[in-house]
């Protein structure tokens, strides 16, 4: 990708080796998503305990989603201008503030501010860690180095962090309730600021401190040329424009963005409709929430397994492109099974529905690393994080629209089958191999700049 700051070509042998880079990427991925996982199980319950109604809670999550969507492209461009490490550290500090506000805040404005900061951190984090990994591997081993294995392990670490965090976040308040009077003592001792349901968020804030320290110490980067405020302000829009141009001109990038949109439709249907099905199956909202927490954990584990299997699927299918086709086929099958069992409550139909749920996450987990392997071979270091932000934006915007659409449709098979149709359309994009990339007419050759060491390639 061009149009961003001029960077140096990768110089093989520079920086951490591939194994070290992979280990650091996996660790960063886990540390970032683990506290977010802890907040999943207790978020709605915590806000309810603070006296917020459902409309207000929906507004809090809308603040998060809209902030993340609005800032995706600007923050991706920021990473390409000033570097991966500072942007990730800022994301960690924002999450630290967000979890503190959410854990301690009793007023609506404090919770809304915390959710907004978390959305901004989500936008900041959507590309830099992966960009750093690819940059480092390319700098050490050259542009033909294997990326799928590291990308798969990073994706698996993310899923594992969400799964473990969900279990821990849901279990901590329950464990505090086992000790007689402990929860009441905690509330009284802090004047109501800390209640059992807020403990996961506050523990997440402590994990963010570890995340920031690790990022600053482990994600070493070659020095970039000095960039002042004027350079940042000027460089970010250029990086964004270059990312959008590449998506418009490159057929393979368009496929990846459309596939991300299809994944957004699938996730919106699953996340919106599954909790209601769980509550209907169990008979009460409370027991349904418990079942959904376990099911969500299982889904994250299936996603982690799919990510681990991504290189094997690519070898079996013959290429990363064919692997995406196979993986999206699994997602389509899973959504179809969920749709066909939407009105049934028998043991057999429930088993089929749970199987479909697992297939959705297994397929999405296997598709992601193979899509990103193709993406990173199509873009260079000057715009890699921006390209990942465009990909993330495609998923989030379609997920928001699909969620509203699924909520407006009558309950039953239709919302599930429409999501399955969207994913099937995304899968069919990969039936034919993409043509080789054409050089952009305004491509700028990458050269050494004053005082800057070679910059490697990866978000």
């Amino acid at each position: 990708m061009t149009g961003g700051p001029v960077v140096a070509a990768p110089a093989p042998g520079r920086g951490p080796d591939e194994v070290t880079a992979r280990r650091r990427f996996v660790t960063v991925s886990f540390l970032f998503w683990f506290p977010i996982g802890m907040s999943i199980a207790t978020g709605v319950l915590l806000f309810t305990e603070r006296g917020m109604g459902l409309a207000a809670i929906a507004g809090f999550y809308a603040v998060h989603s809209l902030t993340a969507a609005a800032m995706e492209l600007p923050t991706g461009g920021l990473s390409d201008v000033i570097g991966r490490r500072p942007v990730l550290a800022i994301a960690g500090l924002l999450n630290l503030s967000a979890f503190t506000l959410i854990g301690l805040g009793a007023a609506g404005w404090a919770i809304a501010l915390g959710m907004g900061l978390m959305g901004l951190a989500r936008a900041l984090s959507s590309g830099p860690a992966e960009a750093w990994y690819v940059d480092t591997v390319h700098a050490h081993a050259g542009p033909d180095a294997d990326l799928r294995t590291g990308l798969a392990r990073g994706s698996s670490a993310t899923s594992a962090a969400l799964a473990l965090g969900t279990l821990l976040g849901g279990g901590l308040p329950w464990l505090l309730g086992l000790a007689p009077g402990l929860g009441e003592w905690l509330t009284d001792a802090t004047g109501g600021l800390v209640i059992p349901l807020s403990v996961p968020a506050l523990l997440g804030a402590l994990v963010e401190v570890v995340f920031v320290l690790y990022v600053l110490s482990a994600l070493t980067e070659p020095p970039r040329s000095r960039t002042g405020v004027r350079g940042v302000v000027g460089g970010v829009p250029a990086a964004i424009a270059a990312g959008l141009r590449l998506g418009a001109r490159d057929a393979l990038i368009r496929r990846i963005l459309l596939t991300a949109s299809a994944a957004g439709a699938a996730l919106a249907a699953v996340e919106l409709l599954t909790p209601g099905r769980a509550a209907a199956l169990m008979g009460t909202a409370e027991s349904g929430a418990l079942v959904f927490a376990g099911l969500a954990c299982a889904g994250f584990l299936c996603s982690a397994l799919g990510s681990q299997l991504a290189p094997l699927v690519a070898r079996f299918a013959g290429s990363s492109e064919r692997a995406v086709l196979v993986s999206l086929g699994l997602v389509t099958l899973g959504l179809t099974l969920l749709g066909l069992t939407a009105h049934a409550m028998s043991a057999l139909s429930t088993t089929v529905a749970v199987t479909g749920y697992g297939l959705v996450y297994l397929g999405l987990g296997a598709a992601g690393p193979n899509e990103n392997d193709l993406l990173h071979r199509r873009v260079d270091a000057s715009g890699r994080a921006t390209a990942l932000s465009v990909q993330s934006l495609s998923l989030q915007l379609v997920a928001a629209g699909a969620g509203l659409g699924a909520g407006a449709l009558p309950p039953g098979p239709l919302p599930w089958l429409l999501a399955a149709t969207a994913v099937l359309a995304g899968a069919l994009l990969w039936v034919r191999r993409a043509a080789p990339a054409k050089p952009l007419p305004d491509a700028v050759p990458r050269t050494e700049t004053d005082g800057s060491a070679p910059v490697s390639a990866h978000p």
Side-chain angles (χ1 to χ4, degrees):
M1 185 179 299
T2 61
V6 179
V7 297
R14 302 288 290 269
D17 60 29
E18 294 173 73
V19 175
T20 301
R22 186 186 307 151
R23 183 177 66 250
R24 294 179 182 179
F25 174 51
V26 166
T27 302
V28 165
S29 299
F30 184 91
L31 287 175
F32 182 83
W33 288 101
F34 179 63
I36 294 175
M38 284 195 289
S39 70
I40 289 175
T42 57
V44 174
L45 295 174
L46 171 61
F47 301 152
T48 303
E49 190 71 13
R50 297 294 195 190
M52 307 298 165
L54 287 179
I57 294 172
F60 297 150
Y61 283 99
V63 168
H64 173 276
S65 298
L66 292 175
T67 303
M71 298 305 296
E72 272 291 353
L73 292 182
T75 54
L78 181 66
S79 170
D80 288 329
V81 173
I82 70 173
R84 322 306 189 191
R85 180 169 57 175
V87 171
L88 275 176
I90 293 170
L93 292 174
L94 288 172
N95 265 343
L96 169 61
S97 302
F99 285 122
T100 303
L101 285 168
I102 290 170
L104 299 178
W109 68 265
I111 297 174
L113 178 58
M115 295 296 283
L117 291 176
M118 191 180 296
L120 179 55
R122 173 68 183 89
L124 282 165
S125 70
S126 66
E130 191 172 318
W132 176 87
Y133 169 71
V134 177
D135 288 346
T136 304
V137 171
H138 280 180
H140 186 270
D144 295 326
D146 173 64
L147 298 175
R148 276 195 299 257
T149 300
L151 295 176
R153 292 186 182 178
S155 183
S156 294
T158 295
S159 299
L162 288 169
L164 182 60
T166 300
L167 287 179
L168 182 60
L172 276 175
W174 177 76
L175 290 173
L176 290 172
L178 291 180
L182 181 57
E184 291 81 358
W185 173 85
L186 185 63
T187 303
D188 293 340
T190 60
L193 283 178
V194 179
I195 60 177
L197 286 171
S198 65
V199 170
L202 297 176
L203 184 58
L206 295 178
V207 176
E208 292 296 341
V209 175
V210 178
F211 171 80
V212 172
L213 293 176
Y214 187 82
V215 164
L216 293 176
S217 62
L219 300 194
T220 56
E221 292 184 285
R224 296 171 181 251
S225 55
R226 289 193 173 186
T227 306
V229 174
R230 184 175 180 180
V232 171
V233 172
V236 169
I240 294 172
L244 296 176
R245 283 199 304 271
L246 184 62
R249 293 171 177 170
D250 191 304
L252 180 61
I253 301 297
R254 283 198 300 275
R255 288 189 190 184
I256 293 171
L257 297 181
L258 290 171
T259 301
S261 300
L267 289 170
V270 169
E271 293 173 358
L272 180 68
L273 302 175
T274 305
R277 289 183 65 165
L281 178 66
M282 300 304 296
T284 66
E286 292 80 9
S287 57
L290 181 62
V291 169
F292 176 67
L295 193 59
C297 177
F300 293 138
L301 292 176
C302 286
S303 180
L305 176 61
S307 297
Q308 283 293 103
L309 294 175
L312 180 63
V313 175
R315 288 194 293 270
F316 175 78
S319 68
S320 291
E321 294 181 43
R322 292 291 181 183
V324 175
L325 173 62
V326 171
S327 301
L328 293 182
L330 284 180
V331 179
T332 303
L333 175 60
L335 290 169
T336 302
L337 293 177
L338 284 163
L340 294 177
T341 57
H343 283 316
M345 293 290 182
S346 67
L348 177 60
S349 62
T350 300
T351 302
V352 172
V354 170
T355 301
Y357 185 92
L359 287 176
V360 169
Y361 280 93
L362 184 70
L364 290 174
N370 285 300
E371 290 174 37
N372 285 12
D373 173 65
L374 294 166
L375 177 66
H376 293 311
R377 298 184 187 282
R378 217 70 161 190
V379 298
D380 63 21
S382 67
R384 181 160 285 115
T386 302
L388 286 169
S389 290
V390 175
Q391 182 187 26
S392 178
L393 179 62
S394 300
L395 185 149
Q396 291 186 49
L397 288 179
V398 172
L404 292 174
L409 292 171
L414 183 58
W416 297 102
L417 297 180
L418 286 177
T421 301
V423 176
L424 177 61
L428 293 178
L429 295 173
W430 299 92
V431 171
R432 297 180 61 186
R433 293 183 65 89
K438 295 180 180 180
L440 295 178
D442 58 345
V444 179
R446 293 184 297 164
T447 60
E448 296 273 342
T449 58
D450 295 339
S452 67
V455 176
S456 42
H458 185 130

